[in-house]
Amino acid sequence: MTRAEHAVADAHRREWAVVLAATVRVTRDLDLAEECVQEAYADALVSWTRDGVPARPGAWLTTAARHNALDSLRRAKTLRTKLHLLVEPATAETELPADPVVADDRLRLIFLCCHPALSAEAQVALTLRLVCGVPTPDIARAFLVPEATMAARITRAKKKIAAARIPFRLPAPATLPSRLDTVLTAIHLLFTTGHTAPSGAALADDDLAGRALALARVLRELMPGEREVAGLLALLLANHARRAGRSTTDGRLLRLAEQDRSRWDRGAIAEAHELVVVALRGGGPGRFAIQAAIAALHADAPRYEDTDWPQILELYDALGKVWSSPVVALNRAVAVAMVDGPAAALAEVESLEGDPRLSGYRYLPAVKADLLRRLGRDADAAAAYERALGLTANDAERGFLAGRLAELS
């Protein structure tokens, strides 16, 4: 990869949301803004290869994208009617707190994408696509739907925002809680996409996960009294703290039992623990608070053998009551295997195989394969590992599954 190619890729990871948000201010049209930003990145590759990488890549891209937007408006002969949109109306900014951290354009973009006029799934998908530039195929994998279905869903959502003239600004403080769950879901799914990349050579995209963590911190500043916000931040911190120990230097995936816990970020784990206490205090906890408590128990154990599996199983039971999800049921089965044995867990996993929501979920056959292997059913385990391999596009995960399969052979 050339220096220019590396700089463009890095700018895409770091600057995409900021550049897109600045362009939306001009176009007030998400489709047009996204096209202009994509064109700016394409122009950057040519220009930076020829002239060198600028000192401020983000500013270069923002200027180029806004120029593209203005040119497009002129070509459409609508510039005259759009001129008043080039300046933010005073009323838009008066609704925003003065704190510059709160007035983060990425967060504005998230709340725009998470408008209640859109379906919950469309809100999350649109956030991943526009705020983070996650490719549509990867979003489709995260939602377990075909790529064409996800592309159509995102297109419809953008058209609905345009038709409803939804403004690009943070909503009034009184309306923030009504949009909170979807915003939290979007940030969590963004983190999950970075924590274990749906495809590619590396196990994780730490930059993407880091951006999700930064957004969770901004949201915590915006809504310090919301326990679920504290829960989300705790969950992300506890999981991100393990990033250094999740794979070897050559990229081989390490199971939780194999990880060197001295490489975990103890400062982040301590912060997560404090936030878990806040999230669980004062009434019934929400789904992010409970997930954070589970992650904290894993992170607090000095050794894998010290993991408090009975308490984790109790927390999964509580999580299932507030968030009925087949993925939660599958994760609970892993805890069941550690408490009641692999045979009991296998029965629960097999009961999930008929759920269409898990038909393309790679971890279902992977968990089943591990349970079958532990029960000595090697032929059945091999078949399950083969199914998991067929659903997995991440090279590190594929290497792990192939290694397991080779052991059985």
Side-chain angles (χ1 to χ4, degrees):
M1 181 180 290
T2 66
R3 183 169 182 268
E5 290 171 338
H6 184 274
V8 169
D10 186 63
H12 186 274
R13 288 192 301 269
R14 298 176 183 276
E15 307 286 355
W16 171 272
V18 175
V19 177
L20 180 63
T23 310
V24 171
R25 289 177 182 272
V26 175
T27 64
R28 289 299 197 266
D29 181 314
L30 287 172
D31 265 330
L32 178 57
E34 191 173 10
E35 290 174 8
C36 293
V37 172
Q38 289 172 340
E39 185 180 345
Y41 275 93
D43 292 341
L45 183 58
V46 176
S47 177
W48 298 359
T49 300
R50 182 187 62 239
D51 304 327
V53 178
R56 298 173 59 205
W60 191 101
L61 288 161
T62 299
T63 301
R66 288 171 68 95
H67 284 166
N68 292 340
L70 291 171
D71 288 343
S72 181
L73 292 172
R74 290 190 187 97
R75 286 194 299 269
K77 298 183 179 179
T78 58
L79 179 60
R80 183 171 300 172
T81 61
K82 297 288 184 178
L83 276 173
H84 67 287
L85 298 178
L86 301 185
V87 179
E88 281 287 308
T91 55
E93 290 300 328
T94 57
E95 296 185 13
L96 293 174
D99 187 345
V101 176
V102 172
D104 187 295
D105 270 350
R106 293 170 298 172
L107 200 56
R108 293 191 195 192
L109 203 52
I110 286 181
F111 274 99
L112 173 66
C113 295
C114 293
H115 195 278
L118 306 176
S119 69
E121 286 189 344
Q123 292 174 32
V124 176
L126 198 60
T127 300
L128 291 173
R129 179 72 197 99
L130 296 182
V131 178
C132 308
V134 177
T136 301
D138 285 350
I139 301 174
R141 289 191 191 96
F143 277 87
L144 309 179
V145 299
E147 180 182 345
T149 301
M150 182 52 64
R153 188 176 297 171
I154 292 172
T155 298
R156 286 195 300 269
K158 288 191 286 189
K159 288 181 178 178
K160 193 163 189 177
I161 286 177
R165 298 179 180 272
I166 296 172
F168 176 63
R169 61 175 181 261
L170 285 175
T175 66
L176 286 176
S178 65
R179 299 198 205 177
L180 182 59
D181 186 69
T182 305
V183 172
L184 294 174
T185 300
I187 295 175
H188 181 235
L189 190 52
L190 169 61
F191 177 83
T192 302
T193 304
H195 187 65
T196 302
S199 60
L203 174 63
D205 183 340
D206 286 340
D207 185 70
L208 194 61
R211 278 190 279 169
L213 187 57
L215 287 172
R217 288 194 183 281
V218 171
L219 196 59
R220 171 77 173 147
E221 297 234 5
L222 177 64
M223 308 178 76
E226 289 288 344
R227 292 188 298 140
E228 276 291 80
V229 175
L232 175 69
L233 181 55
L235 174 61
L236 270 52
L237 282 166
N239 286 326
H240 201 53
R242 297 191 294 106
R243 63 190 182 280
R246 295 180 65 219
S247 59
T248 61
T249 53
D250 59 357
R252 182 174 64 85
L253 183 151
L254 294 173
R255 294 179 300 119
L256 190 59
E258 301 172 319
Q259 293 179 20
D260 179 0
R261 300 186 176 217
S262 67
R263 300 185 65 197
W264 293 1
D265 185 343
R266 289 295 160 187
I269 292 171
E271 184 182 358
H273 190 274
E274 292 177 1
L275 287 165
V276 167
V277 173
V278 172
L280 295 178
R281 184 187 297 139
R287 60 188 177 106
F288 290 107
I290 297 173
Q291 289 180 88
I294 293 171
L297 280 174
H298 281 296
D300 286 343
R303 302 176 304 160
Y304 181 76
E305 296 78 11
D306 300 324
T307 305
D308 190 345
W309 288 107
Q311 187 174 352
I312 288 174
L313 183 56
E314 288 183 15
L315 286 169
Y316 270 119
D317 288 336
L319 181 59
K321 292 176 183 177
V322 300
W323 186 32
S324 179
S325 161
V327 174
V328 171
L330 180 62
N331 291 337
R332 180 186 179 277
V334 175
V336 168
M338 302 304 296
V339 175
D340 299 325
L346 181 61
E348 297 199 10
V349 170
E350 288 177 335
S351 71
L352 294 170
E353 290 183 305
D355 193 319
R357 292 172 292 179
L358 294 179
S359 61
Y361 192 56
R362 62 193 186 276
Y363 297 124
L364 177 61
V367 170
K368 183 178 181 180
D370 182 67
L371 296 173
L372 289 166
R373 181 188 59 81
R374 291 166 63 181
L375 290 168
R377 296 169 55 180
D378 290 359
D380 293 333
Y385 278 128
E386 290 280 10
R387 287 195 297 276
L389 270 167
L391 296 172
T392 302
N394 180 284
D395 291 350
E397 289 187 323
R398 287 184 61 81
F400 172 80
L401 293 170
R404 286 296 214 184
L405 187 59
E407 290 172 5
L408 291 174
S409 301

